[in-house]
Amino acid sequence: MKYGVNKQILLITAGAVWITAGINILRIGIITWLNNSQDWMFKIGEATVVFLLFFVLIFKRLYYKHTRRIDEKKKTRNCPFSFFDVKSWIIMIFMISLGITIRSFHLLPDSFISVFYTGLSIALILTGILFIRYWWLKRKVNWG
């Protein structure tokens, strides 16, 4: 590859993508939450369960997988999109498409969307923060 980025940029990009996705999903969750604000204490509990399931069982493992993979990359000239592997890109495209389809065709009630999206978004944002934190801790290390 003639042009590329270093490992630090891959980590920052990964963090930014996860945080941006999380903020966008949080926006949708909050909008649907405000349109259907009854039983909010119960919804907070449900959103917490969604957060814990996604963060602990899925996203935290992906964070470790991708930081390990980025650490093993060349020092420079990496593809700017290589902060994810091909499988992760396919899963991300599928999840985005599924979310758009579900909302466009109203396949699930707003009460579910508000809880699910809020919990999911916080897990995404926290994972993005982990990538940025990892970059911050490794920023002065001369990765070889």
Side-chain angles (χ1 to χ4, degrees), residues 89-117:
W89 278 108
I90 291 169
I91 290 170
M92 187 172 87
I93 291 166
F94 172 76
M95 295 300 290
I96 291 170
S97 301
L98 183 64
I100 292 169
T101 302
I102 287 170
R103 286 191 330 278
S104 296
F105 293 106
H106 306 285
L107 300 176
L108 294 170
D110 281 352
S111 58
F112 176 83
I113 298 290
S114 63
V115 167
F116 185 77
Y117 273 43

Side-chain angles (χ1 to χ4, degrees), residues 47-97:
T48 302
V49 169
V50 171
F51 160 75
L52 289 171
L53 287 172
F54 273 89
F55 182 72
V56 173
L57 298 178
I58 300 170
F59 294 160
K60 198 170 176 186
R61 291 178 184 177
L62 287 174
Y63 159 76
Y64 288 123
K65 171 187 167 185
H66 290 302
T67 52
R68 207 173 318 118
R69 196 176 48 71
I70 290 170
D71 270 345
E72 294 170 359
K73 288 192 163 292
K74 299 180 292 188
K75 188 174 181 179
T76 59
R77 295 191 178 220
N78 296 291
C79 175
F81 300 107
S82 67
F83 57 89
F84 277 168
D85 57 11
V86 173
K87 179 181 174 186
S88 295
W89 278 108
I90 291 169
I91 290 170
M92 187 172 87
I93 291 166
F94 172 76
M95 295 300 290
I96 291 170
S97 301

Side-chain angles (χ1 to χ4, degrees), residues 43 117 123 135:
K43 285 182 177 181
Y117 273 43
W135 163 77

Side-chain angles (χ1 to χ4, degrees), residues 30-44:
I30 289 173
I31 290 169
T32 55
W33 194 300
L34 293 175
N35 291 335
N36 185 6
S37 61
Q38 47 192 271
D39 302 325
W40 63 273
M41 282 297 279
F42 189 65
K43 285 182 177 181
I44 289 173

